Amino acid sequence: MINKKQFLFKLKHDSILMVMVEKWCREGRQFCNSNLKFVTKMIVIIVGFKSLSRVIEIGILNREDVEVKEKLIMLNFSKTKTKTDKRMVTIDVTDNNLCPVKWIKYYITIRDKHFPRTKTFILDYITGKKVSNEIITNYLREISQQLNIESSYSSHSLKAGGISQASYKSLARSTIILAADAKSNTIDAYFRHNVETGVNFSKELGF
């Protein structure tokens, strides 16, 4: 398990909490002037949180890196911070309304309609270009403001949220390190104390 006390405040920015994901799913559409805007922000949170990915990894995902099957999605991260080879993340379908497979399939339908010839997977809903670290961080800050959630978010927040939730669900430290593509001497820095513990999760993290 993660050493919760030693590195509790090492990174100053907050993690993405399940309550934020759930609240955006319920209320986010009212703050968006287009369905594409709402779904794009939703998919950034879900993909980052569920795959325990860094913002930069989300931004460089290509459309061909996302393999869609009937009951699962496979994300092939071609480049990561600690590996030169691919990191594959498999996400299974669930019955939850936050099911990443359902949201990713929905996003693909909308994305391909608006930007059919664009190589990058997740695109900024305004420019149609790939989402940068700054753009994704701004998405998170906009969401927290619109939902009246007092927190400070950075490019580490999505990964920190996933790692924190995995730790609270009692996944082994070695499993989290492998899943998060993190080094053993840095994994504890991602732990956050402000994670919802009463959420009903499915399989590894949930949704």
Side-chain angles (χ1 to χ4, degrees):
M1 291 296 294
I2 285 181
N3 184 338
K4 300 179 181 180
K5 294 182 179 179
Q6 184 176 359
F7 294 96
L8 192 59
F9 302 108
K10 188 169 182 180
L11 293 179
K12 65 180 181 179
H13 294 290
D14 292 337
S15 65
I16 299 300
L17 306 183
M18 276 301 300
V19 65
M20 179 179 179
V21 183
E22 294 171 336
K23 197 170 183 181
W24 182 254
C25 180
R26 293 193 311 269
E27 305 173 19
R29 199 178 299 272
Q30 65 180 303
F31 302 109
C32 301
N33 55 14
S34 72
N35 193 41
L36 178 63
K37 180 177 181 179
F38 165 67
V39 177
T40 298
K41 290 185 175 182
M42 187 70 187
I43 210 70
V44 163
I45 301 175
I46 284 183
V47 170
F49 194 100
K50 180 66 177 181
S51 65
L52 283 72
S53 296
R54 302 171 182 87
V55 166
I56 190 172
E57 294 170 358
I58 299 171
I60 63 175
L61 265 179
N62 287 326
R63 178 64 180 82
E64 62 184 17
D65 295 328
V66 182
E67 188 175 349
V68 180
K69 297 183 179 295
E70 183 180 356
K71 294 186 177 181
L72 60 84
I73 295 285
M74 297 176 67
L75 303 176
N76 296 290
F77 295 93
S78 59
K79 182 180 180 182
T80 70
K81 187 176 181 180
T82 61
K83 292 182 179 180
T84 56
D85 56 341
K86 287 188 176 182
R87 177 172 74 100
M88 181 180 293
V89 176
T90 300
I91 304 175
D92 296 321
V93 69
T94 69
D95 294 327
N96 197 299
N97 63 344
L98 295 176
C99 173
V101 174
K102 297 174 184 176
W103 277 100
I104 290 173
K105 286 182 177 181
Y106 183 40
Y107 174 72
I108 288 174
T109 300
I110 299 173
R111 174 216 174 279
D112 289 353
K113 179 180 179 181
H114 286 82
F115 312 110
R117 297 182 180 86
T118 309
K119 180 180 178 181
T120 306
F121 178 53
I122 300 180
L123 304 165
D124 178 52
Y125 54 86
I126 297 176
T127 65
K129 298 179 180 179
K130 73 174 184 178
V131 286
S132 63
N133 290 16
E134 183 180 3
I135 288 174
I136 292 179
T137 301
N138 285 338
Y139 285 176
L140 301 181
R141 290 170 180 168
E142 287 173 2
I143 291 171
S144 65
Q145 290 173 1
Q146 290 165 338
L147 297 179
N148 293 318
I149 297 175
E150 295 184 6
S151 271
S152 177
Y153 296 108
S154 73
S155 59
H156 290 282
S157 295
L158 289 168
K159 191 176 185 72
I163 289 175
S164 297
Q165 203 68 52
S167 177
Y168 267 117
K169 301 311 291 184
S170 299
L171 288 184
R173 188 173 186 274
S174 57
T175 300
I176 298 174
I177 290 173
L178 180 63
D181 182 36
K183 295 180 179 179
S184 59
N185 62 342
T186 61
I187 188 74
D188 296 286
Y190 283 99
F191 178 81
R192 295 292 184 275
H193 67 292
N194 56 356
V195 175
E196 295 295 313
T197 59
V199 180
N200 181 21
F201 282 80
S202 65
K203 298 196 174 182
E204 310 90 43
L205 284 187
F207 290 9

